[in-house]
Amino acid sequence: MASAPANGLPVFYNDLIPLSSVDHAAWRSRTVDSAPFLTTQHAIPLTVDEFVAAQRFVPIIFSAGDEPVPLALMGLNEGVNTFLDDDGKLRGPAYVPAYVRRYPWMLAKLRPDSDELSLCFDPTSDALGTFEEGQPLFEDGKPSELTQGVLKFCEDFEQAAARTGQFMKDLKDLDLLMDGEVAIQVPGNDQPFVYRGFRMVNEEKLRDMRGDQLRKISQNGMLPLIYAHLFSLQLMRELFEAQVSQGKGPIAVPAAPQTADAQPN
C-alpha cells in the first residue's frame, strides 16, 4: 500500500520485529497524543474502505507509476502536512487514515517461503516499551485483550488492502485513470500554481462507458468509490489555502508555473 523507503520498509517504519510472548512479556502500550513522524508526510496510503469517510476531509488521488495506489493528500507540496502542527498534534477535525492508526503495528511475512503473516511492530516507536504506565501486551503469557484487538485491526487492514488492490486493477483494466493536473490561480500572480505527478479518474471516459461496463461497476460497488474520489478533488483549493495560511505555501516563480509531485515519500 505504500512506496518503500531506502531501508525496504513501508513508510513510517524504521525497523520491524515480531511480537514475542518471551521477549516482550513485560512490554506495554501507552497512548500518545502526537505523531511527529507524520508532520512532513503530505500523502498517506488509503484503502477503498475509507473513501467515503475520507472524502469529506482530504483530496483522494492515485499515485503515478505502473502500480498506482490511492492516497489521502494532507498537503499539496512535498513535506507539508496541513492537518498537524509542528509537534505532530492535530490542528482540528481531520480524517486519520487506517495506515497511520495501524502504526507501529503491521502483519508481515517472517519467511519468504511461507505466506503466513505474523504480528510485528516498530521497536523505535514511543508507544511501546517496558513502561510503568499503559496496557500490557501479554497477560499470563497470552496476548492481552489489547493485543488481540491490534491483531484484528491489522487483519482487517490487510483485507481492505486486498480489496483496494482489486479496485485498482479494475480501474486499470477499464482504462479509467489519467495523469492529473490541478491549476490554482492566486490573485496577484500572473501564473497559476500547477500540481502534477498524480493520477485521477477520467470523467469523460467514465461518462462514455458502455452500458454493460457501467452496470458492472455499479453492481460491484466501484461507482460510489469513484465518485467519492472525484468529489474529494474539490478540496484541493482548501488544502492550498491552508498551506498559505500556515506560511507553507509555494513561492511564485514568474518565469514558469510551480509544479509539485503528489506521490508519497
Side-chain angles (χ1 to χ4, degrees):
M1 287 293 299
S3 60
N7 60 8
L9 295 172
V11 175
F12 304 152
Y13 294 82
N14 299 306
D15 195 4
L16 205 60
I17 61 175
L19 181 66
S20 166
S21 59
V22 176
D23 298 335
H24 309 114
W27 281 47
R28 291 175 175 268
S29 174
R30 63 184 179 185
T31 301
V32 293
D33 62 356
S34 64
F37 61 88
L38 192 58
T39 56
T40 58
Q41 193 68 33
H42 76 298
I44 312 295
L46 200 67
T47 69
V48 291
D49 292 32
E50 304 173 85
F51 276 27
V52 173
Q55 59 94 23
R56 297 174 51 232
F57 297 93
V58 294
I60 300 170
I61 61 167
F62 303 102
S63 61
D66 295 333
E67 299 296 332
V69 297
L71 299 169
L73 273 187
M74 315 296 278
L76 293 185
N77 288 82
E78 191 86 20
V80 177
N81 188 324
T82 63
F83 291 89
L84 299 180
D85 62 21
D86 292 338
D87 295 323
K89 296 183 179 181
L90 286 172
R91 295 178 182 272
Y95 181 80
V96 180
Y99 187 94
V100 176
R101 288 180 274 128
R102 179 185 59 161
Y103 182 80
W105 301 96
M106 72 175 295
L107 293 177
K109 292 182 182 180
L110 297 183
R111 302 202 323 250
D113 59 343
S114 172
D115 290 333
E116 183 178 354
L117 298 175
S118 299
L119 185 61
C120 301
F121 67 94
D122 184 348
T124 68
S125 168
D126 293 335
L128 302 175
T130 53
F131 316 126
E132 293 185 3
E133 76 276 17
Q135 297 178 267
L137 301 183
F138 293 96
E139 294 175 333
D140 300 324
K142 297 180 180 180
S144 65
E145 184 176 346
L146 169 74
T147 302
Q148 293 178 46
V150 167
L151 178 60
K152 177 66 165 57
F153 184 89
C154 289
E155 289 174 341
D156 291 345
F157 182 87
E158 291 300 319
Q159 294 171 8
R163 287 189 289 272
T164 304
Q166 184 59 52
F167 172 78
M168 297 307 302
K169 180 181 182 301
D170 291 341
L171 280 183
K172 290 177 65 178
D173 290 346
L174 292 167
D175 194 28
L176 284 177
L177 289 178
M178 69 176 187
D179 292 337
E181 179 176 305
V182 173
I184 299 178
Q185 185 68 55
V186 177
N189 283 359
D190 294 335
Q191 297 285 353
F193 291 96
V194 180
Y195 290 88
R196 305 185 181 94
F198 66 97
R199 308 204 78 192
M200 58 185 288
V201 168
N202 187 322
E203 290 188 72
E204 185 176 345
K205 285 188 175 181
L206 181 64
R207 288 193 298 267
D208 292 341
M209 287 181 68
R210 300 195 314 264
D212 59 323
Q213 292 177 322
L214 193 59
R215 183 166 56 251
K216 178 182 178 181
I217 66 172
S218 177
Q219 292 176 343
N220 67 12
M222 284 184 67
L223 195 57
L225 298 176
I226 290 173
Y227 277 114
H229 149 67
L230 291 172
F231 292 154
S232 75
L233 298 179
Q234 301 299 317
L235 296 174
M236 288 280 200
R237 174 167 283 278
E238 290 186 23
L239 209 56
F240 181 89
E241 291 173 351
Q243 284 191 194
V244 172
S245 67
Q246 294 169 21
K248 300 175 181 178
I251 300 173
V253 178
Q258 293 286 296
T259 62
D261 191 345
Q263 299 183 69
N265 294 329

